[in-house]
Amino acid sequence: AAQTAANSRYNFDELTWGNDINHHIADGYNADVLLRWGDPITADAPEFDPQNQTVEAQLKQFGYNNDYVGYIALDENRGILCVNHEYTNEEVMFPGLGRQDRAGFEGMTKEIVDIEMAAHGGTVVEIQKGSDGKWSVNRNSWYNRRISPFDTEMTFSGPAAGHDRMKTNADPTGLAVIGTINNCAGGMTPWGTYLMAEENFHGYFWTDVVDADGDPDVSAQPEAVSMRRYGVPGRWYAWGQYYDRFNIDKEPNEPNRFGWIVEVDPRDPTATPIKHTALGRFRHEGAETTVSSDDRLVIYSGDDNRFDYQYKWVSRNVVNEETAVFGSSLLSDGTLYVARFNEDGTIDWLPLRHGEGPLTAENGFKDQGDVMIDTRLAADLLGATPMDRPEDAQPRGDGTAYIMLTNNTRRQADQVNAANPRAESAFGHIIEIKEEGGNHAATRGTWDILVKCGDPTVADVGAEWNPETSESGWFGSPDNCAIDADGRLWISTDQGSNWGRTGKSDGLYALETEGDLRGHSKLFFRCPVGGELCGPYFTDDAETLFLAVQHPGTDGTKDFEGFERDSTFEDPATRWPDFQDGMPPRPSVVVVTKQGGGKIAV
Ligand code: FEO
Ligand code: CA
Ligand code: CA
Ligand code: CA
């Protein structure tokens, strides 16, 4: 007999869907707030005071919009948490600075810009589990540090390090850069270092040169072709009005120094983070790692843009005692591949190697550094498959990988392909890849669509789920994902302002990949209104799950009954998680544990 939902491999009672000012977890579990925006993370940090924010305070406090969460155990009840801070939502961060002021940056000041910069980047912090099973931050730990685009010095490795196009007035070596921006998802290496993906870096660059419509005009720029392909400059933030390095009129090469994967050594706060240019430059969503069956490091990373590509990187050398250390040459020498999803269900991974095929000087690539700086232009020439916004990609040790395609409402009917089968896709889909021979380093494999997301009861949506999936279990816009210790898949969602169309909050779902229940999804956790769910990350003992609630009280709150307003600092749609007057909503890391202890969903 076919299995029913009662036979799910995920042992928990499904949470009921909805959306309100608080977070919710399935019965029998605790979901405790561990770290909030503004929480002190060093012994000398001041307490959070939202009415009197300063750059000095923010540089010692937990940053904004926690996205990726990673963890390395120091011992059974103690470890280091690594958290990305992707971006800032000024309208709910700063008193009196509504979103309507952003267009012309009315009310914006250098002081606010500095705080914004300090609230970006990452946090490395030691945490511990008490005898009551509750996790807490050790503010006195030597490991604790903030990483930010305000003042954290970084270096480069790989083919573009020191390249002429990486040199600026402030850095004639092309080897020294300040900070990292828009760190979305990420990954941990097998040797316990922390990878931060630089995603929407284009938005931080400024120009005063605009066309008749007020849009940036880069036609006089020497890097014009590259800038157009990457959307530089986006003019989302005012940073370039105060810092030359974020103004392309003054520093046209600075954007080439962002859009990389950054490696941080969480065990050494004095170690300079490294941007590894061998992994390519694009809007890196994440950087999840695995070791291939022939012992090489493999990193899957999507380029989160409509019609952009899925990539993976394979090291030349094997992972061993000598190479599996921070700063070794392993991550500077390897091959970046881009995916072609063939109509017959096979996949070809196409290498981005200078001198091969079209990647020649005649086509604008003088060397491998050019190929890496202009990864997108190189992948265009190779004939990669344009995807529906590749978000997180998660490999599993058996040669399987899961690719989150979050949505692409701009795909027209004449642009669909087998791997992106829906026009105007509002809710996205998930692809499962099986690499040839179970080897993640393989250059061929097969692929299949695991689920097509959205409401299965609305025919026009064209969703496909296992029919056992309940009204609470289906979701839209998969973004992040994780594999737990039992090899089971978990998905978190980011519907953006689009959630007015589902009525559902973003959340965490257990998605079955095997057997009769393949494609069956169950809701485990719900975000407060306007928040997106990031993380998720399971500890190796499967007893702790870290989740990151991003931008609570913002996305789409004006579209939802009971929340019909643009959120502001003074009038947010929720004051999660403190629910105190005058306290804005705070992006926070939440820790999930089973009541009474034990493995999650087992
Ligand atoms: Fe930062 Fe693609 O999500
Ligand atoms: Ca994301
Ligand atoms: Ca997203
Ligand atoms: Ca977001």
Side-chain angles (χ1 to χ4, degrees), residues 195 260-261 276-282 284 299 313 331 336 372:
L195 300 179
W260 304 104
I261 297 295
H276 290 294
T277 69
L279 279 56
R281 174 173 170 265
F282 45 92
H284 280 283
I299 301 177
W313 182 83
L331 284 169
L336 181 66
M372 293 293 99

Side-chain angles (χ1 to χ4, degrees), residues 67 86 184 199 285 304 389 391 479:
D67 197 304
E86 187 184 19
C184 192
E199 194 190 26
E285 166 70 23
D304 182 4
R389 291 189 53 200
E391 294 258 24
D479 189 335

Side-chain angles (χ1 to χ4, degrees), residues 105-174:
F105 298 111
E106 195 179 22
M108 184 55 68
T109 63
K110 179 168 184 296
E111 191 180 9
I112 293 174
V113 162
D114 287 352
I115 297 166
E116 287 177 338
M117 292 170 89
H120 278 69
T123 292
V124 175
V125 67
E126 186 181 330
I127 61 173
Q128 64 220 347
K129 188 155 95 174
S131 53
D132 59 355
K134 299 286 189 189
W135 290 88
S136 61
V137 169
N138 175 4
R139 275 172 67 173
N140 298 308
S141 173
W142 179 73
Y143 299 115
N144 297 359
R145 74 190 289 195
R146 279 298 321 284
I147 292 156
S148 84
F150 185 77
D151 64 357
T152 306
E153 291 177 12
M154 306 196 167
T155 187
F156 296 102
S157 85
H163 196 278
D164 280 347
R165 296 173 64 196
M166 302 287 273
K167 294 173 182 171
T168 65
N169 289 308
D171 172 30
T173 68

